[in-house]
Amino acid sequence: MIKIEHIGIAVESLEASAPLFSKLLGKTHYKTEHVAGEKVNTAFFKLGDHKIELLEATAAESPIAKFLNAKGEGVHHIAFDVDDIASELKRLKSEGFEIINDTPKIGADNKLVAFLHPKSTNGVLIELCQEIKS
Ligand code: ZN
């Protein structure tokens, strides 16, 4: 089953945007995390069953830096929670979607993640994520 896990928002500065979203949502973020593989810092806000993930680039070659340069701040991706990321990737590939990460990688928030290319999803970057069970 696919359900929305979080919405990722690209920001220039977590230091500026985390307090802004705290004001907006009436609560503070519950954690920040550095994701070395993506060269980003993240801050997570919990909203019921869903989350908002703010993403700031930590290097010029970060995907978030490239996004900010091209489009500016804003919604970056929608993340779907799946039970079995490998089988979902296989299913979506067979349906004709373009997969960016054929092999899921370690993302933020204790998740395996893989992205679908926005050119196959009406311009929306889609992240699939699966909780890593320890
Ligand atoms: Zn995400």
Side-chain angles (χ1 to χ4, degrees):
M1 188 185 65
I2 287 186
K3 57 181 197 283
I4 292 181
E5 214 281 335
H6 65 267
I7 294 171
I9 298 174
V11 302
E12 295 283 354
S13 156
L14 277 189
E15 196 184 339
S17 294
L20 179 78
F21 275 78
S22 291
K23 248 186 260 175
L24 175 68
L25 302 171
K27 56 166 68 174
T28 54
H29 57 280
Y30 67 94
K31 71 167 171 180
T32 57
E33 193 177 336
H34 174 61
V35 185
E38 294 287 310
K39 298 188 168 64
V40 294
N41 287 322
T42 64
F44 281 90
F45 294 81
K46 196 148 179 56
L47 299 172
D49 289 338
H50 311 293
K51 298 165 191 161
I52 299 280
E53 174 187 34
L54 302 182
L55 302 124
E56 130 191 295
T58 60
E61 67 275 22
S62 163
I64 293 300
K66 289 176 190 158
F67 179 90
L68 289 169
N69 284 337
K71 298 187 175 175
E73 294 181 302
V75 173
H76 177 259
H77 64 271
I78 298 177
F80 295 138
D81 180 48
V82 299
D83 296 326
D84 181 346
I85 195 167
S87 75
E88 277 301 327
L89 285 172
K90 197 184 278 181
R91 182 182 73 82
L92 293 168
K93 200 170 189 173
S94 75
E95 295 283 6
F97 292 97
E98 188 175 325
I99 313 295
I100 296 175
N101 316 101
D102 280 316
T103 307
K105 54 187 181 172
I106 307 280
D109 203 28
N110 192 42
K111 302 262 196 291
L112 280 175
V113 304
F115 289 89
L116 305 189
H117 200 288
K119 76 183 175 198
S120 67
T121 49
N122 289 151
V124 181
L125 179 63
I126 302 290
E127 172 186 339
L128 300 183
C129 59
Q130 177 191 336
E131 182 105 25
I132 298 169
K133 298 192 174 81
S134 48

